[in-house]
Every structure is written in C-alpha cells, then in structure tokens.
Amino acid sequence: MTRQYVVLGNGIAGQTCAEELRRLDPDCSIVIIAAERHPLYNRVALPRFLRGQVREEKVMMRTLQDYQRQGLDLYLSTWATEVDVRDKVVRTNRGQEFRYDALLVATGGRPKPPPWAGVEEVEKVFGFQTLDDTKAIIEESDRSRSVLVLGGSFIAYELAEGIAYRKRAQVTWLMRGPWFLRYVLDQEGGRLCQLLGEEAGVRFICQDEVRRFTRSNGRYLAETGSGQRVEFDMLAYGVGLDYYVEPVQGTGIEIRRGIVTDAKLRTSMPDVYAAGDVAVFFDHMVGKHNQMGTWDNAEAHGRTAAHNMAGADEDFFDVPTYTTTMFGSTLAVMGVTPDVQPGLESVRTYSFEERFFRKLFFMDGRLVGGIMIGPPKGRKKLIEIMRARQPIEGPREALLDPANLR
Ligand SMILES: Cc1cc2nc3c(=O)[nH]c(=O)nc-3n(C[C@H](O)[C@H](O)[C@H](O)COP(=O)(O)OP(=O)(O)OC[C@H]3O[C@@H](n4cnc5c(N)ncnc54)[C@H](O)[C@@H]3O)c2cc1C
C-alpha cells in the first residue's frame, strides 16, 4: 500500500523531511501544507536581503516546478487547523482533509507580540520573521528618519544592523539587559558588540525600558525609565518567538511552549513527529529537553524525522551552530552555551584593539560550546572536538589559540 505522509510547514525542517521521504520512497504520497504564500526560501538570508546585499531571487530556494518534479503536493497559503490523531486526519482552513500514516509538524514560530504597555499608540510596529515582513521593513525604514529597535535578541540585532546598513534612518537600539546576548556573552563580549555597533552608526541604550509611548508631531516618542527620550518614525523589535502549536492543541500531544518529542522526534501520540524550531526535543548534547532556533538544527531534524517516519529508529544528535555577522565582523556560536546550561566552566581571550573575543565552555571535563566574535578561525576543529565528546587532556586555554586547531 502507498504510504501517505503529511508535513505541516514548508520551512527548512518540513522541506528537508519531505524531500528525504521522497528519496527513501519514490512511490509514497507527500502533502505539504504551508501557511505562507512562497515556496521554500532562505530565512537566514533575510538579514542580507534587508541590508540590500542579495536580491529576492537569491533568497528563494525552490520553485513551484521543483515541487512538481519531486511529486510533492504543496498547498500554499493554507493553514492546518486541526489534527485528528484518532482518525489520522489533518484539516485545513480551506475545508480540506488529508489522511496520514505519519505526520510531521514543522510549523516554526512567530514573533511574540510587543510586550510594552502603551505600544498600541505606535502604528508602525514590525517583527522580523518572514520574507513579507522583510519587504515591509525595507519599505518603511527607507522612508523613516529614525528607527527604534527594541529587544536584546538575535533578531533585534539583525534589525539594528540591517536597517543601519541601509544608511537611510538613524537607528537607536534599546534593550533591557546590560549588553547584547547577556546570557551568553560576558561584559567584555557585550562591550565589543557595542563598540562594533557604534562604529556602524547605531546608538545603544542598555539596561533601560520604555515606560511610555506618545505621538509627537506625526512622529512617535518613547520615554524610558532612566529619563531618555527617543523620537522615532518606526518601531522594529525582537523579543523571542511564540510557537505555532495550534493544530495539535487538545489532541493529547504534550506541549511545553513548543511540541515535546523524544530523541527520535516522536511526539507523545503515535505517528506524529515534530521538527525544527517548534520541537522541544530530547537533546543528547545536553542530556535534557531543548529547543533550538537555528537553520542547521531544523534541517538535520527534518532528515532524522523523515528516516523515523519511514520506519527507522534513529536518535537525533548534533552540535548546534549559529553564525551571523556582527556589524561587519562575525559572530559564531557553537554547542551548549550558558543560556541553555547555566554554570558551565569557561576560558576566554579578547582584544578590543584587534576586535576579537573567544570564549569556550566546558562540562564534565569535555568541551561543549563556544562563542567567537571576529574571524571564526578553528571553528570547524572545535565542533569536531565537541562532537567527539572526549575529555580534554592538557590546558584548556590552548584551545583558544587558532594555531593549535589546525
Ligand atoms: C531574520 C532571521 C534571521 C535568522 N538568522 C539565522 C542565522 O543566521 N543562523 C541560523 O542558524 N538561524 C537563523 N535564523 C533561524 C532560522 O531561520 C530558523 O531556525 C529556521 O528557519 C527554522 O526552520 P523551521 O522549518 O523549523 O521553521 P520555519 O522556517 O519557521 O517554517 C515554518 C513554516 O510553517 C508555517 N506554519 C505555521 N503554522 C502553520 C500551520 N498551522 N499550517 C501550515 N503552515 C504553518 C509557517 O508560516 C512557516 O512558513 C534566523 C531567523 C530569522 C527570522
């Protein structure tokens, strides 16, 4: 009998799963239900698109013909609204029903709503998650004199740097924490980010919060707890994600912010799997449940989920990595960091003059994570060491020197 697979979401997790299923089984039926109106695109390239460094065509990763060629039945602009785990059926907002033998939920997340009291006063408020968000941000920020970016997340950073890079609007970046990525970087790492940001023309306000938003002569005014006043035309923000768990709510599938799975990406209901940003999966890297928000993790999840949906019995294990720009420099994060696992031991080195910072994290004598600002030399080797999960012999500081990592 032909097996029937249904995949919710055509981000990198859902897409990888669907393509891997097709590779494993040329005869199966694969339905992809996708809320957005685009075939797969590269979410990680959105900051480059915002900066004007890549064109939209380069952001797109698949065409409609690619889906046809692979026999993937794609339903764009369609929301899965309900999963019936007893009859094994998915229902959509267009009144369709799709039966499944195995189902993947790879629905990712959406920006949390802006949490600041009085923000309803501001009409021009933008989160940064989709291609369509990016186009709207470009259009609005290019006609703004001043943009206020709120939040201390990676997304807030991408907004501050991307809009500043366009050189149309003055950017003020305001965050509650004492520095960017306060749970991962220490004070010196945070200071280096700020130094690089100020060189790129961004004005920083740290350890502060907006107390009041008001309209002021066709513009907006933010007044902060410490008494600062910022006039702006547009607000962009990043304070984390809420996850699209709605289709499985009330089914008995365990939800804890995202959808809980074991290390094989199986949810608590038979034949229902979750992958990518939405999955709270058992992570062998840290020995507990974990949720990642990175491209490579979502792609690798998609592959493992496909294997298991097709009958394998595979545990997911990978060293997570995240590399992005840092105001013209590079920021690379690898493995386990103190935001996921507090109390890690660490060694570090930095130089403000040479604009670099490197910090490595250890648990039970093993190298488990790291963060680097500046050229990420030796990154591959460090990831190899993390994957090997062997105790580190010799002084840990030696790993800070790229010359020792060839
Ligand atoms: C601006 C930006 C920059 C980033 N930069 C980096 C980076 O430099 N490095 C890195 O590693 N990661 C980065 N990330 C994170 C990375 O893009 C994500 O971790 C990854 O794309 C997650 O893939 P996913 O398939 O799990 O989910 P998504 O890509 O979010 O895809 C899920 C899809 O499912 C759809 N969906 C939701 N609900 C339903 C439903 N009910 N029915 C049907 N469809 C539904 C959603 O609309 C979405 O299209 C960045 C993210 C953003 C937004």
Side-chain angles (χ1 to χ4, degrees):
M1 271 255 300
T2 314
R3 267 179 77 78
Q4 301 194 13
Y5 296 107
V6 176
V7 174
L8 309 188
N10 73 327
I12 189 62
Q15 183 82 30
T16 305
C17 175
E19 293 182 357
E20 189 69 5
L21 284 168
R22 172 57 70 231
R23 195 183 67 75
L24 294 169
D25 182 351
D27 300 323
C28 65
S29 136
I30 304 172
V31 165
I32 307 177
I33 303 172
E36 288 187 66
R37 61 193 177 100
H38 306 286
L40 176 71
Y41 62 87
N42 189 346
R43 226 175 270 290
V44 172
L46 295 180
R48 268 176 280 149
F49 182 50
L50 171 58
R51 293 196 292 268
Q53 291 173 319
V54 287
R55 291 197 314 270
E56 186 174 345
E57 304 87 89
K58 294 281 176 197
V59 176
M60 301 314 297
M61 294 180 76
R62 295 290 184 279
T63 62
L64 292 176
Q65 292 71 37
D66 291 329
Y67 291 84
Q68 276 169 8
R69 198 174 33 78
Q70 296 192 76
L72 306 174
D73 299 330
L74 174 68
Y75 294 85
L76 290 175
S77 305
T78 305
W79 291 85
T81 47
E82 192 191 338
V83 175
D84 179 336
V85 290
R86 212 195 49 189
D87 291 346
K88 294 188 152 183
V89 167
V90 176
R91 300 196 175 89
T92 75
N93 65 335
R94 294 171 179 267
Q96 298 141 307
E97 285 196 353
F98 298 100
R99 219 194 62 70
Y100 65 82
D101 293 307
L103 168 71
L104 179 76
V105 186
T107 44
R110 57 181 171 259
K112 279 182 189 292
W116 304 280
V119 73
E120 317 77 60
E121 282 298 316
V122 185
E123 278 158 5
K124 293 169 185 168
V125 180
F126 295 82
F128 186 20
Q129 181 68 18
T130 65
L131 178 57
D132 292 343
D133 291 344
T134 319
K135 290 181 184 175
I137 292 166
I138 290 171
E139 196 180 317
E140 196 58 45
S141 66
D142 277 0
R143 55 172 180 237
S144 297
R145 257 188 292 164
S146 165
V147 174
L148 176 62
V149 174
L150 290 182
S153 66
F154 268 116
I155 293 298
Y157 155 72
E158 298 287 8
L159 282 162
E161 117 117 332
I163 297 170
Y165 192 90
R166 299 185 71 79
K167 300 212 181 315
R168 302 285 181 97
Q170 166 65 53
V171 174
T172 302
W173 183 10
L174 190 155
M175 66 191 88
R176 195 166 53 173
W179 54 79
F180 172 53
L181 283 186
R182 65 171 149 161
Y183 297 113
V184 184
L185 283 172
D186 56 25
Q187 190 169 0
E188 283 70 28
R191 224 178 102 196
L192 180 56
C193 288
Q194 181 158 345
L195 200 71
L196 292 164
E198 285 168 351
E199 284 170 356
V202 174
R203 180 177 163 229
F204 282 69
I205 303 178
C206 299
Q207 249 173 334
D208 207 349
E209 273 200 86
V210 179
R211 290 272 173 259
R212 209 155 80 102
F213 293 97
T214 45
R215 287 167 195 262
S216 145
N217 301 326
R219 306 183 74 201
Y220 303 103
L221 177 70
E223 292 169 79
T224 76
S226 76
Q228 304 223 41
R229 293 160 64 86
V230 184
E231 270 204 311
F232 65 97
D233 307 292
M234 162 185 163
L235 171 61
Y237 76 101
V239 290
L241 296 179
D242 283 333
Y243 297 93
Y244 285 116
V245 296
E246 289 82 356
V248 297
Q249 247 158 2
T251 57
I253 289 176
E254 191 185 349
I255 295 174
R256 241 185 280 149
R257 287 187 66 216
I259 299 172
V260 178
T261 76
D262 61 11
K264 298 182 200 307
L265 304 174
R266 298 180 300 203
T267 69
S268 49
M269 283 292 163
D271 303 313
V272 182
Y273 295 73
D277 284 10
V278 78
V280 178
F281 63 104
F282 188 85
D283 184 354
H284 285 300
M285 187 74 195
V286 281
K288 60 181 182 183
H289 277 86
N290 193 7
Q291 193 168 16
M292 298 294 305
T294 65
W295 181 267
D296 290 355
N297 179 76
E299 185 175 12
H301 267 189
R303 198 165 295 116
T304 301
H307 296 170
N308 291 337
M309 288 164 78
D313 187 35
E314 230 172 71
D315 277 13
F316 175 81
F317 173 74
D318 203 8
V319 175
T321 59
Y322 191 102
T323 304
T324 182
T325 54
M326 176 44 55
F327 296 114
S329 181
T330 305
L331 173 76
V333 188
M334 298 152 283
V336 184
T337 45
D339 50 331
V340 176
Q341 185 76 40
L344 296 172
E345 292 166 27
S346 64
V347 293
R348 70 160 188 186
T349 175
Y350 66 90
S351 158
F352 291 130
E353 292 70 37
E354 293 174 49
R355 306 281 194 269
F356 77 83
F357 176 91
R358 299 165 76 85
K359 189 165 186 175
L360 300 175
F361 302 105
F362 299 84
M363 193 165 75
D364 303 329
R366 293 182 291 123
L367 176 69
V368 293
I371 182 159
M372 300 177 187
I373 302 170
K377 287 185 198 152
R379 177 177 161 276
K380 273 200 179 135
K381 182 75 190 169
L382 289 170
I383 293 171
E384 250 173 56
I385 299 172
M386 289 175 212
R387 276 213 178 97
R389 296 202 272 180
Q390 294 301 315
I392 299 297
E393 316 282 349
R396 295 171 174 185
E397 284 74 9
L399 298 173
L400 290 168
D401 184 353
N404 297 326
L405 297 170
R406 292 204 183 108

